[in-house]
Amino acid sequence: MKPTIRDVAKMANVSISTVSRVMNSPESVVESKKQRVLGAIEELKYKPNALARGLISKKTHTLGVVIPDIRNAYYAEIIRGMEDASKKLGYSLIICNTDADRNRLFSYLNTFYEKQVDGLLYTSDAVFPDYYKELKRLRMPVVLVSTHSMEYELPSVKIDDEQAAYDATAFLIEAGHRSIGMISFDLSDSIAGQTRYQGYVRALREHNLEFSKDNVFFIQEYYHDPYVAAESLLRQAPNLTAVFASSDVLAMGLLSYLYEKGIQVPDEISVIGFDNIRVSSLTIPKLTTVAQPMYQIGYRAVEKLDARIGGEADPQLRELVPHEIIVRGSTRRLK
Amino acid sequence: MKPTIRDVAKMANVSISTVSRVMNSPESVVESKKQRVLGAIEELKYKPNALARGLISKKTHTLGVVIPDIRNAYYAEIIRGMEDASKKLGYSLIICNTDADRNRLFSYLNTFYEKQVDGLLYTSDAVFPDYYKELKRLRMPVVLVSTHSMEYELPSVKIDDEQAAYDATAFLIEAGHRSIGMISFDLSDSIAGQTRYQGYVRALREHNLEFSKDNVFFIQEYYHDPYVAAESLLRQAPNLTAVFASSDVLAMGLLSYLYEKGIQVPDEISVIGFDNIRVSSLTIPKLTTVAQPMYQIGYRAVEKLDARIGGEADPQLRELVPHEIIVRGSTRRLK
C-alpha cells in the first residue's frame, strides 16, 4: 500500500501540517523537525516527487501542452504562438500527443504533475466531467486552447466557432449560392462539430433557405480519409453548387475528389475551408477559407496561463479571438 | 556562485563520494551521515534536481524529443511512430520545438536534464561540435532521428538521402526526361541539402546527362515560401520538362505556381516530391514522391533508444531504413 502523509507524520512524530510545510516551504520548519520528516519520507518512500517539489524552487518555468493529434497541421501554428510567448515569458514548453485518448491524456497529466510543470495548456478536446475531476485533483493551473467549457469555470481562448461557420455559409449565400453542402465533424464533438454545424444551419435559416439533411456529411471517425468524405457527400448530394468544409484538410480532400471527377472549382462548385493552415495557399485553386488566428490563440493562451500562475485576476474567463474570411480562388459569385 | 558537490561535502564533513552516494543510492549511506548531507544540500541549495534524482527512482520513463520545426508536416508521422513505440515500451514522450535555434536547443536539453528524461531523440538537425559537447556533458543516452553524424559515434535512424535523391532523379531520367531541375535545400544543410543534391548530380552524371547550375534553385532561408522557390527555379530554367523537389511542401508550391501560370502537370512538366506527407495524396494532380517511412523511423528510433538505455549492445550504430518511390499522377513518361 502506498504510504500517506499521515504515515510520514506518524513516523516523524510531527503533525501533518509540518510534513506539508517541509515539502512546500522547508525554510519555515526548524532543522530538527525537518530532518526527521525528510528521514521518514525517505524511509517510507513517500510520494518522492512531492518531496522534490519542496526541495527545489516552486517554479519550474515549464508549461505542459496536451494536444489530441499532432499530425493535424492546425496545431503547428498554435504551437508556434505558444513557443514565442513562452520564450518571452521565460518558459519551456513540453508537448504531449494524447491521440484523443483518455488514458493517454491522464497518463500525461500525471507526468506533467510529476515533472512539476507550472501550468497546463489543454488543447482542442472537450472537458468531460472525469477530466475536470483529474485536473482539479492535480491542482494545476490550466488554460483551455481552441476549446472551452460552459460547465466549468475554466479559462479559455478560442474563436467563436458557431459564428465563424455562420459567416462561411453566409459568404456562400451572399455570393448567390442556394444549394450549399457541408462536411462536418461528428455532432458528438462539442467544440468543432456541433458548433460549426449549428452555424451552418442558422445561416441557412436566417436567409430563408431550406435545410436538407442530405446536404451534410458527418465524419464518423477521428482518423478519416478526406477524399472519401468528399466522395460520400457528393454521392448523397450531387447537385450542390458550394460546399463548406469544416477544415482545410477536408477541403483539400474535396478539391482532390472534384479534380479527379473532372468537376471544375470554382466554376461548377465553390469550396470554402476552415482554419487557414500553411498549405491552404498552395492548393489548386488556392483555398478560400475561414482563418483562425492560430498563432494568436497559442500566444494569448500562454499569456493567460502565465497571469493565472502569477495569481493575477483574469478579467475575461472565456476569451474569444476574431476569425476572418480569406477569399482566394476556390469560391466564385454565381451570376 | 553556484555551490559544488565539494561545498556540500565540506559542510557535511563527509567525502565527496558520500554526497554522491546520498544522491544516487541513499540506502547505502548510514542515516546520520545521510541527514548531514541532506541538510547541507538544502542549506546550500545545491543542485536540487540531482538531489531529487537520488530520492526518486532512477528511471523516469520519459523520453525527450527535440524537433527543429513543428510546423513541418514531415514530423507529424515521425512523432506518431515515436508515440506508438513509447506506448509499447512504457515511456511518455515530451516534445520540444527548437526552431532550429541553438539557444533554444541548449535550453531544452537542460530542461530535459533537469526533468531527468531517460533519453533523448534528437531530430533532423546536424550535430555540431558544441552540440556534441553539450550532449556529452549531460550524459544523456541519445538517438539521432532523420539525421546522423559521421564525426561522432552516435546511433541514428534515417533513410539514405543521397540514394533516395538519386532514385528520384533516375526515375525521371528513365521516364525519358533530359532537362531535369531541382529545388534543393541549402548546401549548408548536411542532412537534407548536400546529400540530396549530390544524389541528383550523381544520377545525371551516371546517365551521361549534362549538369547545369541554372537547373537547381537553392532555398536560402529556413522559413521559405515554396511558391517563390518554384517561381525562382522556373525563371532561371524555363525549359525544364521535370523537377525534383526536395520536399512535398516544395513540390506543392511548384504545383501551385505551375497551375497559376497555366503550365500543365504532368503534360508539360513532371513533378516528383520527397517525404510522402499526409496531404501529398490530396494534391492536384496527386503527387509522385519519394516516400520516407516516417512512422517507422520514429518507431525504430524509440526502440533503439530503449535498448541503449537498457545497456544493450547495438549491432548497427547508423541504421538506414528503406525509401520507396510512390508513383502518382504528377509525373509522366516522355514519348
Side-chain angles (χ1 to χ4, degrees):
Chain A
M1 222 174 62
K2 262 191 153 179
T4 65
I5 193 168
R6 197 177 297 275
D7 300 327
V8 174
K10 203 172 159 190
M11 174 175 280
N13 199 20
V14 297
S15 70
I16 287 173
S17 73
T18 300
V19 178
S20 167
R21 277 193 297 135
V22 168
M23 293 186 295
N24 292 297
S25 50
E27 66 288 347
S28 72
V29 184
V30 298
E31 192 63 21
S32 60
K33 277 191 185 178
K34 186 161 58 189
Q35 293 306 347
R36 284 212 309 276
V37 169
L38 288 173
I41 282 172
E42 195 169 336
E43 191 157 338
L44 291 169
K45 308 269 176 238
Y46 168 68
K47 258 200 180 178
N49 287 295
L51 171 62
R53 188 169 299 123
L55 291 175
I56 66 169
S57 131
K58 292 271 282 190
K59 279 196 83 175
T60 59
H61 303 284
T62 311
L63 304 178
V65 185
V66 283
I67 58 178
D69 177 16
I70 205 153
R71 290 198 306 178
N72 190 329
Y74 172 72
Y75 298 109
E77 276 302 315
I78 288 190
I79 292 170
R80 293 270 309 165
M82 288 178 176
E83 284 277 344
D84 284 355
S86 296
K87 201 173 173 183
K88 181 188 74 173
L89 296 167
Y91 291 102
S92 298
L93 225 49
I94 59 183
I95 302 163
C96 294
N97 182 50
T98 64
D99 226 1
D101 177 86
R102 182 188 177 283
N103 291 339
R104 281 204 184 190
L105 170 67
F106 277 43
S107 152
Y108 279 126
L109 290 182
N110 280 282
T111 299
F112 285 151
Y113 178 73
E114 285 171 15
K115 303 283 167 221
Q116 311 157 42
V117 300
D118 294 336
L120 176 72
L121 297 154
Y122 178 95
T123 307
S124 274
D125 256 4
V127 180
F128 299 107
D130 53 334
Y131 292 17
Y132 181 71
K133 245 175 98 178
E134 185 70 2
L135 290 172
K136 268 301 204 206
R137 192 178 73 81
L138 300 176
R139 287 187 305 159
M140 212 184 279
V142 61
V143 167
L144 309 183
V145 189
S146 291
T147 179
H148 68 168
S149 169
M150 297 318 280
E151 297 94 327
Y152 308 115
E153 293 295 298
L154 293 170
S156 54
V157 183
K158 68 190 280 289
I159 59 161
D160 183 339
D161 283 274
E162 198 271 350
Q163 185 63 45
Y166 177 95
D167 291 348
T169 311
F171 170 83
L172 296 171
I173 296 170
E174 279 150 25
H177 295 277
R178 293 294 169 264
S179 191
I180 300 169
M182 177 179 184
I183 303 177
S184 171
F185 296 117
D186 197 76
L187 295 181
S188 65
D189 175 348
S190 64
I191 305 304
Q194 225 172 84
T195 49
R196 295 182 195 168
Y197 174 71
Q198 281 165 353
Y200 161 82
V201 172
R202 178 165 69 91
L204 295 181
R205 200 182 53 232
E206 289 189 7
H207 291 82
N208 299 313
L209 291 179
E210 211 176 309
F211 165 76
S212 156
K213 204 106 215 212
D214 276 351
N215 288 351
V216 183
F217 177 77
F218 292 99
I219 304 287
Q220 301 298 326
E221 284 155 33
Y222 193 82
Y223 293 111
H224 51 269
D225 182 331
Y227 188 92
V228 171
E231 192 172 23
S232 307
L233 174 66
L234 271 291
R235 202 182 305 119
Q236 63 187 53
N239 298 317
L240 302 172
T241 67
V243 177
F244 164 42
S246 286
S247 78
D248 287 345
V249 174
L250 285 172
M252 288 178 72
L254 180 57
L255 292 179
S256 178
Y257 173 76
L258 294 172
Y259 172 79
E260 296 288 322
K261 292 287 150 191
I263 299 170
Q264 299 292 317
V265 177
D267 293 351
E268 295 173 75
I269 293 189
S270 286
V271 175
I272 186 167
F274 201 103
D275 290 339
N276 195 30
I277 59 173
R278 191 185 183 194
V279 294
S280 69
S281 65
L282 300 178
T283 59
I284 294 175
K286 294 189 203 305
L287 192 64
T288 295
T289 191
V290 181
Q292 295 203 49
M294 275 102 76
Y295 180 89
Q296 192 192 332
I297 289 173
Y299 198 98
R300 184 66 200 119
V302 169
E303 288 183 326
K304 203 172 173 76
L305 183 55
D306 177 61
R308 223 171 167 77
I309 291 166
E312 291 169 36
D314 195 336
Q316 204 186 351
L317 193 70
R318 297 178 184 89
E319 256 179 76
L320 293 178
V321 291
H323 59 270
E324 176 189 6
I325 291 181
I326 309 281
V327 182
R328 298 199 188 98
S330 66
T331 46
R332 74 164 184 129
R333 184 166 282 282
L334 281 194
K335 302 294 178 298
Chain B
M1 223 174 65
K2 263 192 149 175
T4 65
I5 193 168
R6 197 176 297 275
D7 300 326
V8 174
K10 203 173 160 191
M11 174 174 280
N13 199 20
V14 297
S15 68
I16 287 174
S17 74
T18 301
V19 178
S20 167
R21 277 191 299 133
V22 168
M23 293 188 294
N24 292 297
S25 49
E27 66 289 347
S28 71
V29 184
V30 296
E31 192 62 20
S32 60
K33 277 190 185 179
K34 187 160 57 186
Q35 293 305 348
R36 284 211 308 276
V37 170
L38 289 172
I41 283 171
E42 196 169 335
E43 192 157 337
L44 291 168
K45 307 271 176 239
Y46 168 70
K47 259 202 182 176
N49 286 294
L51 171 61
R53 187 169 299 121
L55 291 175
I56 66 169
S57 131
K58 292 271 280 188
K59 279 197 85 178
T60 59
H61 303 285
T62 312
L63 304 178
V65 185
V66 284
I67 58 178
D69 177 14
I70 205 153
R71 291 197 307 178
N72 190 329
Y74 172 72
Y75 298 108
E77 276 301 315
I78 288 189
I79 292 170
R80 292 270 311 166
M82 288 178 176
E83 283 277 344
D84 284 354
S86 296
K87 202 172 171 183
K88 181 187 76 173
L89 296 167
Y91 291 103
S92 299
L93 226 50
I94 60 184
I95 301 162
C96 294
N97 182 50
T98 66
D99 226 0
D101 176 86
R102 182 187 177 283
N103 291 339
R104 281 203 184 191
L105 171 67
F106 276 44
S107 153
Y108 279 126
L109 291 182
N110 280 280
T111 300
F112 285 151
Y113 179 71
E114 285 172 14
K115 302 283 166 218
Q116 312 158 41
V117 300
D118 293 336
L120 176 71
L121 297 154
Y122 179 95
T123 307
S124 275
D125 255 5
V127 180
F128 298 108
D130 55 334
Y131 292 17
Y132 180 71
K133 244 175 99 177
E134 185 69 3
L135 290 171
K136 268 300 204 208
R137 191 179 73 81
L138 299 177
R139 287 186 307 160
M140 212 182 280
V142 61
V143 167
L144 309 182
V145 189
S146 292
T147 179
H148 68 169
S149 169
M150 297 318 279
E151 297 94 327
Y152 307 116
E153 293 295 298
L154 293 171
S156 54
V157 183
K158 67 189 281 289
I159 59 161
D160 183 339
D161 283 276
E162 198 272 349
Q163 185 63 45
Y166 177 95
D167 290 348
T169 312
F171 170 81
L172 296 171
I173 297 170
E174 280 151 25
H177 295 278
R178 294 292 168 267
S179 191
I180 300 169
M182 177 180 184
I183 302 177
S184 172
F185 295 116
D186 197 77
L187 295 181
S188 65
D189 175 349
S190 64
I191 306 303
Q194 225 172 85
T195 48
R196 295 181 196 169
Y197 173 71
Q198 283 165 352
Y200 162 82
V201 173
R202 179 165 68 90
L204 294 181
R205 201 181 56 232
E206 288 189 7
H207 292 81
N208 299 312
L209 290 179
E210 210 175 309
F211 165 75
S212 157
K213 210 98 223 206
D214 276 350
N215 289 350
V216 183
F217 177 77
F218 291 99
I219 303 287
Q220 300 298 326
E221 284 156 32
Y222 193 81
Y223 294 111
H224 51 269
D225 182 331
Y227 188 92
V228 172
E231 192 172 21
S232 308
L233 174 67
L234 271 291
R235 202 184 303 119
Q236 62 187 54
N239 297 318
L240 302 172
T241 67
V243 177
F244 163 42
S246 286
S247 78
D248 287 345
V249 174
L250 285 172
M252 287 178 72
L254 181 56
L255 293 179
S256 177
Y257 173 76
L258 294 172
Y259 172 79
E260 296 288 322
K261 291 288 150 191
I263 300 169
Q264 299 291 318
V265 176
D267 293 350
E268 295 173 75
I269 293 189
S270 287
V271 175
I272 186 168
F274 201 102
D275 290 339
N276 196 31
I277 59 173
R278 191 185 182 195
V279 293
S280 70
S281 65
L282 300 178
T283 60
I284 295 173
K286 294 188 202 303
L287 192 64
T288 295
T289 191
V290 181
Q292 295 203 48
M294 275 101 76
Y295 180 89
Q296 192 192 332
I297 289 172
Y299 198 97
R300 183 66 200 118
V302 169
E303 288 183 327
K304 203 172 173 76
L305 183 55
D306 177 62
R308 220 166 170 81
I309 291 166
E312 292 168 36
D314 195 336
Q316 204 186 350
L317 193 69
R318 296 179 184 87
E319 255 179 76
L320 293 178
V321 290
H323 59 270
E324 175 190 6
I325 292 181
I326 309 281
V327 182
R328 298 199 187 99
S330 66
T331 46
R332 73 163 186 129
R333 184 166 282 281
L334 283 193
K335 301 297 176 299

